[in-house]
Amino acid sequence: MNFLPAEYSECGGKLSNTAFTVSSNFLVYIIMVFLCNGTHLMLKPYSQPRISSDMVVGLIIGRLPLVRELFDGFNDTFGSIIDFGMMCYMFALGIEMDSYAALKRPTKEKKVAYGGLVFTFILTILICPYFSYIDNRKLVEFSICFAIAVSGTASPVLTRLITHLKIGKSDIGKLVIAAGMHSDFMCSMLLSIGYIITPLPVFCKNNIEMYDKIKAGAAIVGQTVFLAIVSPFFVNWVNNENPEGRPIKGSHLVLSIAFMVLSCSFSIVHGYSPLFSAFLTGVCMPGEGRLSKWVITKINYVLNNIYFPIFFLWMGCSLDLKEYDIKLPDTWSRLFVLTAVAIVGKIVGTVISGAMLGFDWPESIAIGLLLTTKGHLHIYLAIKAMNCGASYSSNFGMIIAIFSTVVHGPKVVASIIKRARKRAPTQCMALQLLDPASELRILLCLHGTQNVPTSINFMEISRGSSDPGILVYVTDMIELTDDIAATLDKDEGVRTTTVKDKEVMDMRDQVTNAFQTYVAENSDGITLKRTMAISTISNMPQDICFLAEDLMIALIILPFHRIQRPQGTLDGGNQGFRYVNRKVLRSASCSVGILVDRGFGSIDQITTSHVTFNVAVIFIGGSDDREALTFATRVAQHPKVKLTIIRFLVDTNAESSRLARYKDILAEQEKEKETKLDDEYFAQFYEKHVLGGHITYTEKHLANAAETFSVLRSFEGQYSLVIVGREGGLNSILTRGMNDWQQCPELGPIGDVLSGPEFSLTVSVLIIQQHKLKGDLDGLDEDFSIM
């Protein structure tokens, strides 16, 4: 018996229906998430990108009658969620774009990107009108927008694919990623401008007054100009107020989010697209800095874990295979022609650009195939076009064409790796092999504030010329203890860790302030960034190697595990940090240096010093000595450094050396190839640098290790820093026997002698090891060269 009035019963029924609808939609969403993740794991052995599995799941789940019924009843809310998610996607995409890319001089990446873009655009414009993709009344406007969309590249999908397949550090991988970014940026900008001229309601058969177009255009121009001027100051202010390692202040986060939302909203209220307004807002914001990285990390986390399953469910529900008329020839012709235009246009355009740049045609074809990759924005635009006049078969054909541009990516990358293995089975990430015109990237590690003066002086002598200069990542090596672990905060994103331990925060602030003060006074040619390696001693070597790999570092500098006492001798040292140094030497994907400070840090800052700084380089032979010599060329460019190259040669006239050479004749034959490389490299170095008068050169003809030891003893008072190769002269007559009293084998024979606790009080030593390890691609480094 119901004692409630009729209106209450009706209200209760509505609430019950609403609760059922919401719970049903949530259950479908959970199922969608599980299926997307499960399908992705199933396709993982085939290296398929996640978008492939998500599209398949979306098309299957979207066909279920129950899901379609829920979708029809929840359509408006569904659409709002999709539109908001795409706004976030476009905003993050805009931040990652280089806003000045179009204004810079043409690079090979831009030439490749624009070659494929222009040719695909022209081909689409010529062919599109003959296949009735849309109502003929909007033929011109649609053809232009359609051609721009077909010509574009989904750079987030492409970048993720290239990185996942481990070719992101190769020359072709870098070129494809950069070309994809240029193509995506240009197409998105053209679509953003085109929306002012032809807004979406025009396609939807609604007329818009010219006044409304002018108002929307003026609003977006005003918004863009305002953001281009104001956002750098605002973002830099937030970054300066929230240094790395500290949690971002809540008030600054609220203010930043409010600033971004209001920036996107100004043009929207005047009739402009929310999607492209968010993109232009992101483009105008600086991509560097803590705030921008925080925004990108948060948005990408939400998109990948929450939004994309909803997005592909919406895609599947928006399409109905029953309406796809497979019996009509026009249906298949639209599908195949669209796919062919997207692929052929990119390939022909990149082959032409590649021929002009001197690329081999297989590489050009591979680049073109990868640049055809389409993604989430193209799916979104295709479904929106269906609601504004595009035929259903055309719309479904667009989705299938988008899918076909993604699935072939792993096969293309596999062919690239196959060709690379044939041409370059191994490749070293060594200073000797780097382009002198490229920026030197250094990971400068510190144990604490005690290493700051030494590190600043090292950075000063390593800067070289201002063009290209150096990029230095100053990295704090912090041992993770139970007390510090209790203060860790990882709320800022999946890759960000904030330490709230007061002692650690104060230490990092002191280090940051010291380096920022130095760079502010000596900014020419130096770019400074801060990082942190916080982990247990056993995991720290791996963290440092991963950090160097992610940042594409060419040289890691580690502090010696022993510290100089006030009286000049070295202490017993931290054995944990010694373990770290030895493991990094074995595992790093680049060259590694260990810096032994014996007065190097006590010298007044070299830039303000009035005395000449004497540096010596010892060259006996081997790849590490060649690496040390290569690094020394940068040191020699400093105006206050006097560099001396000391080459140790075997005195063939000495009886002891003749006897040793006779006993080791077989070993000498094995070293003949290495000796030839030494002579060739040193001859080039001598002709280029020594004959020019910039570097002093001297030879020492020695008979055995005893004479080598005597020469090294004479360095006391002559040099402030000695640079040596770790394995320089390892098997030479001149170092034989030194291993018998080695205390730190990780420093090599010469480095160990120079760093001995009773050897010297004033000579600092830099021991360098050239990278020799193979990569993870079955004998092929990730930074291989193929072009």
Side-chain angles (χ1 to χ4, degrees), residues 593-637:
I594 296 179
L595 182 57
V596 182
D597 178 20
R598 309 186 86 166
F600 190 44
S602 63
I603 301 172
D604 290 339
Q605 199 175 103
I606 295 175
T607 51
T608 59
S609 177
H610 299 288
V611 298
T612 301
F613 190 66
N614 292 314
V615 179
V617 180
I618 298 176
F619 187 91
I620 300 178
S623 59
D624 290 351
D625 274 9
R626 296 196 296 270
E627 191 78 346
L629 205 60
T630 303
F631 177 76
T633 59
R634 301 188 64 89
V635 177
Q637 297 177 40

Side-chain angles (χ1 to χ4, degrees), residues 439-685:
E439 185 180 55
L440 177 61
R441 303 168 75 95
I442 300 175
L443 189 71
L444 187 55
C445 300
L446 292 83
H447 296 158
T449 54
Q450 69 272 16
N451 301 130
V452 170
T454 306
S455 300
I456 288 178
N457 280 336
F458 171 81
M459 193 162 63
E460 172 63 25
I461 67 171
S462 307
R463 63 193 301 175
S465 60
S466 58
D467 185 17
I470 59 174
L471 173 59
V472 181
Y473 288 87
V474 178
T475 305
D476 301 300
M477 300 168 63
I478 301 173
E479 183 179 359
L480 185 61
T481 62
D482 293 338
D483 293 338
I484 295 177
T487 68
L488 293 184
D489 183 5
K490 297 187 178 182
D491 289 341
E492 293 189 23
V494 292
R495 294 189 178 183
T496 306
T497 300
T498 301
V499 184
K500 296 182 179 179
D501 181 82
K502 187 178 185 304
E503 185 178 346
V504 174
M505 291 169 63
D506 291 342
M507 182 273 290
R508 297 200 77 226
D509 285 344
Q510 292 179 44
V511 173
T512 300
N513 293 334
F515 276 95
Q516 286 181 345
T517 301
Y518 162 73
V519 173
E521 298 172 354
N522 309 274
S523 59
D524 191 25
I526 297 178
T527 303
L528 177 70
K529 296 190 178 182
R530 294 281 279 124
T531 57
M532 176 174 60
I534 178 167
S535 61
T536 60
I537 288 296
S538 59
N539 292 330
M540 190 174 291
Q542 186 180 36
D543 288 353
I544 292 174
C545 293
F546 283 163
L547 188 62
E549 194 172 351
D550 290 341
L551 299 176
M552 300 178 67
I553 298 298
L555 176 64
I556 300 173
I557 298 296
L558 300 166
F560 192 44
H561 68 280
R562 291 175 174 173
I563 300 174
Q564 191 173 32
R565 298 187 181 99
Q567 61 268 31
T569 59
L570 296 174
D571 65 8
N574 185 318
Q575 294 304 310
F577 284 128
R578 183 187 183 188
Y579 166 81
V580 172
N581 290 355
R582 298 174 76 170
K583 290 288 287 185
V584 171
L585 284 167
R586 291 178 56 188
S587 307
S589 58
C590 61
S591 294
V592 181
I594 296 179
L595 182 57
V596 182
D597 178 20
R598 309 186 86 166
F600 190 44
S602 63
I603 301 172
D604 290 339
Q605 199 175 103
I606 295 175
T607 51
T608 59
S609 177
H610 299 288
V611 298
T612 301
F613 190 66
N614 292 314
V615 179
V617 180
I618 298 176
F619 187 91
I620 300 178
S623 59
D624 290 351
D625 274 9
R626 296 196 296 270
E627 191 78 346
L629 205 60
T630 303
F631 177 76
T633 59
R634 301 188 64 89
V635 177
Q637 297 177 40
H638 198 283
K640 293 186 179 179
V641 170
K642 181 181 179 182
L643 183 69
T644 301
I645 306 298
I646 306 174
R647 188 172 189 184
F648 288 4
L649 297 171
V650 177
D651 186 359
T652 55
N653 295 322
E655 184 67 26
S656 58
S657 66
R658 288 202 304 270
L659 181 62
R661 287 175 62 85
Y662 175 76
K663 291 181 178 179
D664 287 348
I665 188 169
L666 294 178
E668 288 293 328
Q669 290 176 353
E670 294 177 1
K671 293 191 296 181
E672 185 177 349
K673 183 179 180 181
E674 193 73 19
T675 304
K676 183 179 179 181
L677 291 174
D678 290 336
D679 292 339
E680 290 177 354
Y681 183 75
F682 197 87
Q684 295 174 3
F685 176 87

